[in-house]
Amino acid sequence: MNEAEIEKKHLIHSLVIPSIFSILMILIHGYVSFYNIDVAKWGVYPRENFGFMGVFTAPFVHSGWEHLFSNLPPFFIASVMIIYFYPKIAYQSILIIYVLTGILVWIIARQVYHIGASGVVYGLIAFIAWSGIFRRNRRSLALATIIIVLYGG
């Protein structure tokens, strides 16, 4: 296998998991919208035992299509970047970010239901930015800045 084929295979591998999670979010929201299901109970409700389940479910539920599609592009791009550029630590890092952001919301957020993948997105972007700073990698910093500008708008 030549270098171009290896690179192509690596890129395709980097797209798989983010694609699966993105499609899953879309399917869940489609189901929720079609059946008019209240998703609040799937969110994180801080400092209450019943709200802890949301640590794992909240990133998959959104308040509307606009909310979902404001989270999907940066989630997808940042996830692909982490898997592509940091393959040795990507999956562990993404899992830690996913769980840690939910736990932090559960510990410190105000007493309302919190849904969506924004915390995960900010965690992924922070990982890319800090990795760029610690590794002195300008490409990571530039990519994180681009995502922040696009997502922040």
Side-chain angles (χ1 to χ4, degrees):
M1 212 182 295
N2 66 30
E3 191 172 323
E5 290 172 341
I6 292 170
E7 198 66 30
K8 182 180 176 183
K9 188 175 181 178
H10 180 57
L11 176 61
I12 290 170
H13 171 77
S14 300
L15 293 167
V16 172
I17 297 297
S19 295
I20 290 169
F21 276 85
S22 297
I23 290 168
L24 189 57
M25 284 184 208
I26 292 168
L27 291 174
I28 288 169
H29 191 70
Y31 181 83
V32 163
S33 294
F34 185 79
Y35 290 104
N36 200 25
I37 297 170
D38 179 20
V39 296
K41 65 182 174 190
W42 298 102
V44 177
Y45 196 89
R47 295 173 297 285
E48 297 290 344
N49 290 338
F50 66 86
F52 192 77
M53 177 186 65
V55 167
F56 306 100
T57 57
F60 288 99
V61 294
H62 294 79
S63 61
W65 289 106
E66 185 177 331
H67 183 209
L68 173 65
F69 286 114
S70 71
N71 278 293
L72 270 179
F75 169 81
F76 182 79
I77 292 167
S79 298
V80 169
M81 287 173 50
I82 290 172
I83 295 168
Y84 185 82
F85 291 113
Y86 307 100
K88 292 181 180 175
I89 59 169
Y91 296 110
Q92 302 93 317
S93 300
I94 292 170
L95 180 63
I96 289 168
I97 290 165
Y98 181 94
V99 173
L100 189 58
T101 56
I103 289 173
L104 286 172
V105 168
W106 189 78
I107 292 171
I108 64 173
R110 62 190 170 100
Q111 293 287 132
V112 297
Y113 282 101
H114 298 269
I115 58 173
S118 298
V120 176
V121 168
Y122 283 117
L124 297 172
I125 293 168
F127 174 88
I128 294 166
W130 284 108
S131 293
I133 290 168
F134 289 130
R135 295 174 185 215
R136 296 185 179 161
N137 183 326
R138 291 181 186 187
R139 180 173 52 184
S140 291
L141 286 172
L143 293 171
T145 303
I146 290 168
I147 293 174
I148 290 168
V149 168
L150 292 174
Y151 186 62

